[in-house]
Amino acid sequence: MTETTPTPSAALALIGDPAQFGRVAEDGTVYVITPEGEKAVGSYPGKTAEEALAYFVRKFEALASEVALLAARVRSGAMVPSDANVAVNRLRQHVKELNGVGDLVALAASVEQILPIIEDHRGAYEAKKAAEDAAKAARREQILAEKEKIVAEAESLTLSESWKTTGDRLKILLDEWKIAPRLDKKADADLWKRFSASRNKFDKRRRTHFAALDAQQSKVAEAKNELVAEAEKLATSTDWVATARRFKALMDLWKASGRGKKGDDAKLWSRFKAAQDQFFTAKNADLAKRDELMSTNLAKREALIVEIEALIPVSNLEVAKKNFRELARQWERIGMTQRDKRAAFDKRFAAVESQLKSAEEDRWRKSDPAAKARANDLVRQLSEAVANYDKQVTKAEAAGNAKKATEARESAAARRVWLAEAEKGLAEFAN
């Protein structure tokens, strides 16, 4: 291995005063001094020359620190050689593109001097990795042996008839399996398949043995008693949707619980069915009552919408608005109605409301003082224009100018038509 002390060029890049490699021109431009000459690196408006130079020195120092950090990480063995090479290439590019003030030549050299360090540590890294791989392989063999031992013991117990002792032992083996470290996926799967098959074979034999006994039927009876107790508690519930869903789940649990003794099963089923019927009878009665209420409300809406629509067309806006407000309050007080049927009534209600709003807006438009003034002004202007053209007709006829008299007469006729329309518009304001 090479000496770990930083090389001279690296020390030059990281130690000393980088500011000696830069200057600030009168216009504020900052330059870095290189063997090839000066290069502008930027400016720092609003700052003194010292502050601007210090800013670009800090950029240089930040990159120099990255170089030193990479070198330290490589020496410590903390980086994979391939990753270190990638980092060196990245730093090379950063040095080339750096707009900073400092000894750029020394900094570039310090980056290149990391490469020999990488090569010096490559062997140690590979040796370390080989040792780790060997340790990992040895650990795998140890885990494999431990799991093989668990599986072998489980396989040896499959034909045992010591139900309690063997069952307890298989549980212990399962716990040991759970806490044992994992192998690769295939190896674990193959061993688990053997272990699981052994447990399943023993469990199947044990279930077959106890199927001949009354214990299984007692378990079924116990489970069904719990289902019946819950069903009887739910019989008086009025939470129709949630309770109906729970009764379905209880029925599924009942079917899944298996068969008990014939006589006990019949008695339990009778109680379960009675509780279920009580709930659904009450639920259906409530739904029928709701349907009846909604039908009554529907009839109320059918009658009331006729009264509301009778307000149109509007003859007296104030009376119509007052009546509509009262009818709208009645409309809101009507209870729930089938949603699909109410939508059509609400649409008709909204249509009447819209027409009343339009009538009110029309009345406002006709009573608008500014609009009335404009109408008056238009009638006045057109009246004056007609009178003026009539005078022109008289004057032209007196002068014997038939052509001019005809033109003036036609202009007067056109404006009389416009005047008639304007007077109609003005008359609307009087209403």
Side-chain angles (χ1 to χ4, degrees):
M1 276 201 162
T2 61
E3 183 63 39
T4 59
T5 303
T7 60
S9 59
L12 286 173
L14 302 176
I15 300 174
D17 182 11
Q20 64 180 313
F21 292 92
R23 73 176 184 87
V24 182
E26 291 183 1
D27 63 357
T29 302
V30 180
Y31 291 87
V32 63
I33 302 169
T34 71
E36 290 78 23
E38 293 183 337
K39 181 181 76 169
V41 294
S43 63
Y44 199 167
K47 299 295 182 179
T48 65
E50 291 75 11
E51 290 173 328
L53 185 60
Y55 170 73
F56 288 97
V57 166
R58 285 196 297 273
K59 294 179 70 171
F60 172 85
E61 290 174 339
L63 185 55
S65 296
E66 285 189 47
V67 175
L69 178 61
L70 177 61
R73 292 188 66 196
V74 172
R75 291 190 190 94
S76 68
M79 291 191 74
V80 176
S82 58
D83 291 345
N85 281 322
V86 171
V88 166
N89 289 333
R90 179 179 59 82
L91 286 176
R92 280 173 178 159
Q93 191 63 31
H94 286 181
V95 171
K96 288 179 182 179
E97 298 171 353
L98 177 64
N99 284 326
V101 172
D103 191 345
L104 297 180
V105 174
L107 185 59
S110 67
V111 173
E112 298 304 320
Q113 289 168 359
I114 297 175
L115 292 173
I117 303 173
I118 295 173
E119 292 306 316
D120 277 352
H121 285 75
R122 188 182 299 278
Y125 169 79
E126 291 175 352
K128 179 182 176 183
K129 187 175 184 303
E132 289 174 351
D133 290 345
K136 185 176 179 181
R139 177 59 177 156
R140 182 187 182 283
E141 289 302 318
Q142 180 185 354
I143 296 169
L144 179 62
E146 291 174 357
K147 289 198 166 184
E148 283 277 11
K149 183 179 179 182
I150 294 172
V151 172
E153 184 176 352
E155 289 174 337
S156 72
L157 296 173
T158 55
L159 299 179
S160 172
E161 293 186 0
S162 301
W163 308 115
K164 179 69 170 64
T165 303
T166 304
D168 291 342
R169 182 57 187 162
L170 284 173
K171 288 180 181 178
I172 292 172
L173 291 176
L174 178 60
D175 291 337
E176 291 178 357
W177 177 276
K178 289 179 180 178
I179 64 174
R182 289 181 176 274
L183 295 167
D184 58 273
K185 187 174 181 180
K186 184 179 183 310
D188 252 7
D190 290 344
L191 288 170
W192 172 253
K193 186 176 180 180
R194 289 169 55 194
F195 180 65
S196 183
S198 300
R199 291 173 62 243
N200 290 340
K201 185 175 180 179
F202 171 79
D203 286 341
K204 183 178 180 180
R205 291 178 59 250
R206 182 173 57 182
R207 285 195 300 272
T208 301
H209 171 77
F210 284 104
L213 306 176
D214 192 56
Q216 184 63 31
Q217 292 181 335
S218 296
K219 291 180 181 179
V220 172
E222 181 181 353
K224 289 186 175 180
N225 266 305
E226 291 177 359
L227 296 177
V228 169
E230 185 175 353
E232 289 173 341
K233 288 181 180 178
L234 294 173
T236 57
S237 171
T238 56
D239 187 357
W240 307 123
V241 176
T243 306
R245 190 181 296 118
R246 183 55 185 164
F247 262 112
K248 183 181 184 305
L250 291 177
M251 177 63 77
D252 292 339
L253 292 170
W254 181 281
K255 293 175 181 178
S257 63
R259 293 179 178 235
K261 290 182 180 179
K262 188 174 182 179
D264 292 344
D265 255 9
K267 292 177 183 178
L268 290 170
W269 172 250
S270 179
R271 288 172 58 193
F272 184 89
K273 186 69 166 57
Q276 188 178 44
D277 289 347
Q278 180 181 346
F279 167 75
F280 281 103
T281 298
K283 175 177 178 290
N284 293 336
D286 182 73
L287 291 177
K289 184 178 178 181
R290 288 191 182 197
D291 287 341
E292 182 180 355
L293 177 60
M294 286 193 289
S295 296
T296 301
N297 292 337
L298 180 63
K300 291 179 180 179
R301 292 192 189 280
E302 288 175 337
L304 191 57
I305 196 65
V306 173
E307 291 187 53
I308 293 171
E309 288 176 333
L311 299 174
I312 304 301
V314 178
S315 57
N316 186 317
L317 181 58
E318 292 304 323
V319 173
K321 286 169 61 180
K322 179 181 177 182
N323 291 338
F324 179 78
R325 285 194 295 269
E326 176 57 32
L327 293 172
R329 283 192 288 269
Q330 295 179 36
W331 183 267
E332 291 301 323
R333 285 197 293 269
I334 296 174
M336 59 183 177
T337 310
Q338 291 91 336
R339 185 180 301 175
D340 56 335
K341 295 180 180 178
R342 177 170 176 173
F345 288 112
D346 285 342
K347 185 175 180 180
R348 291 166 65 184
F349 179 93
V352 173
E353 186 177 28
S354 177
Q355 289 188 55
L356 286 174
K357 288 180 179 179
S358 295
E360 188 170 20
E361 291 170 358
D362 188 52
R363 183 179 69 175
W364 164 250
R365 181 181 60 77
K366 291 179 178 180
S367 64
D368 184 357
K372 185 175 181 180
R374 288 193 295 272
N376 263 319
D377 189 50
L378 180 61
V379 168
R380 180 185 58 75
Q381 291 177 17
L382 289 172
S383 296
E384 291 175 353
V386 169
N388 183 48
Y389 280 116
D390 284 342
K391 289 178 181 179
Q392 291 181 29
V393 169
T394 302
K395 185 176 180 181
E397 286 177 342
N401 191 337
K403 180 180 178 183
K404 189 172 182 179
T406 300
E407 291 175 351
R409 190 177 292 109
E410 289 174 352
S411 296
R415 280 155 182 78
R416 282 191 177 90
V417 173
W418 299 345
L419 176 60
E421 291 299 320
E423 287 173 337
K424 287 181 182 179
L426 180 60
E428 290 183 1
F429 289 99
N431 297 330

